[in-house]
Amino acid sequence: MNVIIFGPPGAGKGTQSRSLTEYWGIAHISTGDLFRNNIANETELGLKTKAYLEAGRLVPDDLTISMLEERLQEPDVVPGFLLDGFPRSEPQCVALERIMSDMGRKIDHVINLYVSDDVVRNRLKGRAGIEGRADDADLEVIEKRIATYKTQTRPSLEYYRPKGVVHDVDGVGTVEEVFDRIIGALVRT
Ligand code: AMP
């Protein structure tokens, strides 16, 4: 099973992705985590991408797509994978389509976790203290990430609507409630 999870920053994508991938026994691929690991290890990719993460801007598509393509060659993706934070732009959707076709696979489900801007702002402020992410602590960066989600990432969701694979799920509630909603939505298809 190959799944994408969409949602604004702070929607709970990371938390739900960890539970869902454990439940389904599939690989969790978070492009944000991959970038943060590269930055922490001061790799060439990390040095090239650090400024984008700090500013809350999208990393250029070529760097992001090649990183994802490489990750999808690892053996743990064989049973399936959940993409958390990818695709985030139209060129990334097109690239994913090509990668899937090269792999002889397809996207089975797209989860759209929706929450209001105010919930996002409050959750990110809370998370900044817990996870120590600099991009959660700066109000200007938070606003930039919300705006980037609306202008660049949310339209990507529309790429999948005509394919009939999108499940809209309310992201407000406890972690368990939202998890049950997601599982329920997918079971009904
Ligand atoms: P996230 O952990 O998903 O909130 O991602 C943190 C940051 O990593 C984003 O604000 C972007 O700077 C960068 N990033 C993650 N995924 C992507 C992507 N698919 N395309 C471009 N930039 C990304």
Side-chain angles (χ1 to χ4, degrees):
M1 181 162 68
N2 309 314
V3 183
I4 301 174
I5 188 161
F6 273 100
K13 291 191 301 294
T15 308
Q16 292 300 331
S17 297
R18 283 185 282 278
S19 306
L20 292 166
T21 50
E22 195 179 314
Y23 182 76
W24 288 322
I26 59 176
H28 176 196
I29 303 180
S30 155
T31 42
D33 283 349
L34 292 174
F35 285 128
R36 281 185 287 275
N37 287 341
N38 274 280
I39 292 168
N41 294 323
E42 297 182 347
T43 66
E44 201 183 325
L45 180 66
L47 295 174
K48 279 189 194 156
T49 54
K50 190 169 188 264
Y52 292 97
L53 273 87
E54 282 174 355
R57 293 172 53 208
L58 292 187
V59 172
D61 287 326
D62 55 339
L63 294 176
T64 308
I65 292 165
S66 54
M67 177 180 76
L68 180 85
E69 200 161 4
E70 220 172 277
R71 175 66 184 86
L72 284 173
Q73 275 154 22
E74 287 177 33
D76 65 327
V77 305
V78 171
F81 55 82
L82 185 150
L83 296 179
D84 163 12
F86 188 99
R88 258 173 153 111
S89 67
E90 174 95 29
Q92 292 183 16
C93 293
V94 174
L96 183 59
E97 192 85 6
R98 179 200 39 91
I99 297 168
M100 290 292 94
S101 129
D102 288 351
M103 291 172 81
R105 298 172 83 150
K106 66 176 176 55
I107 298 298
D108 302 298
H109 299 286
V110 175
I111 301 159
N112 173 34
L113 213 50
Y114 62 88
V115 296
S116 71
D117 289 356
D118 282 338
V119 170
V120 165
R121 290 188 186 100
N122 285 330
R123 283 196 188 166
L124 292 183
K125 268 185 257 163
R127 187 169 81 179
I130 300 165
E131 294 184 12
R133 274 179 59 171
D135 61 346
D136 288 342
D138 185 319
L139 287 184
E140 218 174 292
V141 175
I142 290 178
E143 294 305 324
K144 175 74 191 159
R145 286 159 66 210
I146 294 174
T148 302
Y149 179 74
K150 286 184 182 167
T151 56
Q152 286 170 273
T153 306
R154 205 164 52 187
S156 311
L157 187 58
E158 301 314 317
Y159 185 89
Y160 294 97
R161 291 241 181 238
K163 301 181 195 288
V165 291
V166 177
H167 309 272
D168 296 297
V169 177
D170 182 353
V172 177
T174 65
V175 171
E176 292 75 21
E177 279 165 355
V178 176
F179 177 85
D180 289 346
R181 269 180 219 146
I182 295 174
I183 299 292
L186 266 65
V187 162
R188 281 193 292 277
T189 58

